Amino acid sequence: EEDIMFMSNVSRNLSSIITKMNQTTILMNEARKADNMLLHVFPANVAHRLKSKEFPIADEFANVTVLFADIVGFTDMSMKVTPHELSTFLNQVFSTFDIIALSKGIEKIKTIGDCYMVAGGLFIREND
């Protein structure tokens, strides 16, 4: 009877350990998803600062240029083509913009619909 109780306790403990391991795995996967989402929304250095709970996140840059590009006639055009044609067109335009921005050292900030936003004069500061 003592052996049965011992085995029963071992079984419960193992079950508890396995449950906790599964919960940990789920939490780690969700944390990884959250990290990836932050990196899709923010530059890596800002995402890191958000994760470390830095507040406020505010940097000063002396000379910055921001460009907002909007495709003229996009709304009308979007009503005349298929969704596939529209997304292919936007991908071609924005991919070309990305190549130009990269070659000029300009940082793409965001694309929303047919709007493209870049900034020049921003740089990552190195800690002294």
Side-chain angles (χ1 to χ4, degrees), residues 12-61:
R12 273 194 300 273
N13 287 340
L14 282 175
S15 178
S16 175
I17 290 169
I18 290 169
T19 298
K20 287 178 182 175
M21 288 175 62
N22 288 338
Q23 291 171 341
T24 300
T25 300
I26 290 169
L27 286 173
M28 289 172 62
N29 286 337
E30 292 303 316
R32 195 172 10 260
K33 287 179 190 176
D35 288 348
N36 287 336
M37 186 183 305
L38 276 177
L39 290 171
H40 279 85
V41 175
F42 299 104
N45 66 324
V46 174
H48 176 72
R49 292 164 70 183
L50 283 169
K51 284 182 60 174
S52 66
K53 298 184 174 147
E54 181 179 331
F55 184 78
I57 296 176
D59 296 325
E60 184 176 325
F61 297 93

Side-chain angles (χ1 to χ4, degrees), residues 31-97:
R32 195 172 10 260
K33 287 179 190 176
D35 288 348
N36 287 336
M37 186 183 305
L38 276 177
L39 290 171
H40 279 85
V41 175
F42 299 104
N45 66 324
V46 174
H48 176 72
R49 292 164 70 183
L50 283 169
K51 284 182 60 174
S52 66
K53 298 184 174 147
E54 181 179 331
F55 184 78
I57 296 176
D59 296 325
E60 184 176 325
F61 297 93
N63 297 302
V64 174
T65 300
V66 178
L67 169 76
F68 295 93
D70 185 66
I71 299 172
V72 175
F74 179 78
T75 302
D76 290 338
M77 181 184 75
S78 68
M79 291 187 257
K80 297 175 184 172
V81 298
T82 67
H84 182 276
E85 292 170 324
L86 188 64
S87 62
T88 299
F89 169 75
L90 285 175
N91 186 49
Q92 289 171 342
V93 170
F94 291 160
S95 293
T96 302
F97 284 178

